[in-house]
Amino acid sequence: MHSSAIFLIEFGAIILGLGLLGRLAGRLQFSPIPLYLLAGLAFGKGGLLPLGASEEFVAIGAEIGVILLLLMLGLEYTASDLVSNLKTQYPAGLVDMALNALPGAALALLLGWGPVAAVVLAGVTWISSSGVIAKVLGDLGRLGNRETPVILSILVLEDLAMAVYLPIITALLAGVSLAAGSVTLAIALGVAGFVLFVAVRYGRVISRFVSSDDPEKLLLVVLGLTLLVAGLAQQLQVSAAVGAFLVGIALSGEVAEGAHNLLAPLRDLFAAVFFVFFGLHTDPQSIPPVIVPALALAVVTALTKIATGYWAARRAGISPKGRWRAGGTLVARGEFSIVIAGLAVTAGIEPDLGPLATAYVLVLVVLGPLTARYTEPVALRLTGRRAASADARPAHGTSPAAEALEPVDDAAADR
């Protein structure tokens, strides 16, 4: 009875603290993720007040948090949207992977962490935070801008890539053989392809089966189905998160909208618990030794994300202002980076990887909303100065690069 009381006190204090931190983040108008990570650092090993009785329950809650994050992400897209984006925007996805995954892999190899850690850190630096970016777009009133579909297409391609990447990284962390890893990847691709096919052809039938006018029944069916599929996926050595993502894709229309509204509070609760759990397993004293490489990596990959968004928006015919906005908006990293790093921390492949990922995400989740807001005016001011200095010199021809960066006067092109 005494241990039960301590558990209730500890867990209640955690939830109350998360609520107050979320309220503080709302007033400061930035993502609460860094505050949740800091809370985990404070209550974890080496922190101010280590937890005891509630740590096991927090671990289970964290796993549910990852599943709900991916389910809600899948609910945002239909299977036809994913197929369409894959056909038209795959070059942007390849550029995104090359520019943003390679710096993480290179740093891991330079630090002598080995190839498995390099693949993990590549994923950490590659994937932007869909949650943070969606909130920033809403807060800045840019949901109707012309560059927003380009941003969303890149995020969708990253989510699709995760359906392949997570099974690979899970197999590598488990230390399975090449043959076993190939089987795992084949199963993952087969399951993903099958679910996409069923969602495209029979999505309405599935949605009709799940649909219910009673919110309680809809919540229970969708949540139960998601946890069941996630568990089966994990049993097949495919990521549980990928299974949840595919369930979200399979649901569409009013069912997806209703499930999204019902599950949003649960997602926010358990996602917050997940970020705290990650912080709990990171010793605060282990962060200072890796802060310099984390900051360097954050600066480099912020610039590469800006370049990715600029290139993708330019390819889509967006004006220079929209190109810079697209690039600045993509900078934030968050939930996916922590999910990937959390797999590595659990596997115990490199003790410094967790602290570095924590510091890296803390920097970029704070920097991301700032780059989304200020990349465009700063870039246009700098390029405007360059254009002015070029006009002051004798003209010997026009530079194609200068023409590409030259602002346009058509205000309608920015929307």
Side-chain angles (χ1 to χ4, degrees), residues 206-222 254-256 258-259 262:
I206 297 172
S207 297
R208 207 161 35 236
F209 171 76
V210 174
S211 178
S212 174
D213 294 331
D214 187 339
E216 178 185 352
K217 294 185 178 68
L218 179 62
L219 174 65
L220 292 174
V221 171
V222 173
E254 293 182 2
V255 172
L262 290 171

Side-chain angles (χ1 to χ4, degrees), residues 321-343:
K321 289 184 178 181
R323 298 172 199 170
W324 290 117
R325 286 198 296 264
T329 303
L330 286 168
V331 166
R333 308 313 198 270
E335 58 275 6
F336 249 135
S337 298
I338 296 298
V339 168
I340 295 166
L343 293 173

Side-chain angles (χ1 to χ4, degrees), residues 43-334:
F43 292 102
K45 301 172 184 177
L48 300 175
L49 186 63
L51 293 178
S54 62
E55 188 169 351
E56 184 176 351
F57 186 83
V58 170
I60 297 172
E63 191 166 354
I64 295 174
V66 175
I67 290 171
L68 290 178
L69 276 171
L70 273 294
L71 168 66
M72 299 293 281
L73 203 57
L75 290 173
E76 295 289 340
Y77 312 114
T78 65
S80 58
D81 289 339
L82 291 175
V83 173
S84 175
N85 280 317
L86 193 59
K87 288 179 179 178
T88 60
Q89 297 293 340
Y90 73 90
L94 295 175
V95 170
D96 180 33
M97 179 180 67
L99 289 182
N100 298 287
L102 290 179
L107 178 64
L109 294 175
L110 287 173
L111 293 174
W113 289 356
V116 175
V119 176
V120 172
L121 197 55
V124 171
T125 59
W126 175 10
I127 305 300
S128 297
S129 171
S130 300
V132 174
I133 290 171
K135 188 176 188 307
V136 167
L137 288 172
D139 291 344
L140 296 179
R142 295 181 182 174
L143 292 174
N145 282 24
R146 283 192 62 198
E147 75 274 4
T148 298
V150 176
I151 296 169
L152 295 178
S153 294
I154 292 175
L155 295 178
V156 169
L157 288 169
E158 289 180 351
D159 298 338
L160 282 175
M162 285 298 96
V164 178
Y165 173 85
L166 287 177
I168 292 175
I169 201 64
T170 302
L172 289 175
L173 293 172
V176 300
S177 65
L178 180 61
S182 300
V183 171
T184 299
L185 178 58
I187 292 173
L189 291 175
V191 170
F194 175 73
V195 170
L196 285 175
F197 171 78
V198 170
V200 171
R201 293 291 298 271
Y202 306 107
R204 292 183 179 179
V205 176
I206 297 172
S207 297
R208 207 161 35 236
F209 171 76
V210 174
S211 178
S212 174
D213 294 331
D214 187 339
E216 178 185 352
K217 294 185 178 68
L218 179 62
L219 174 65
L220 292 174
V221 171
V222 173
L223 184 59
L225 178 64
T226 302
L227 294 175
L228 177 63
V229 172
L232 291 173
Q234 192 160 317
Q235 192 69 23
L236 293 170
Q237 295 187 339
V238 179
S239 170
V242 172
F245 179 65
L246 294 173
V247 170
I249 292 172
L251 301 177
S252 61
E254 293 182 2
V255 172
E257 185 177 351
H260 188 283
N261 294 333
L262 290 171
L263 289 168
L266 279 177
R267 177 213 44 199
D268 294 339
L269 168 62
F270 285 104
V273 170
F274 166 71
F275 291 119
V276 170
F277 176 74
F278 186 82
L280 288 175
H281 285 72
T282 303
D283 188 344
Q285 297 178 2
S286 64
I287 291 181
V290 298
I291 193 65
V292 172
L295 285 172
L297 191 60
V299 170
V300 170
T301 53
L303 294 174
T304 54
K305 273 292 182 183
I306 291 173
T308 298
Y310 186 95
W311 184 88
R314 180 178 179 178
R315 179 175 176 269
I318 308 299
S319 72
K321 289 184 178 181
R323 298 172 199 170
W324 290 117
R325 286 198 296 264
T329 303
L330 286 168
V331 166
R333 308 313 198 270

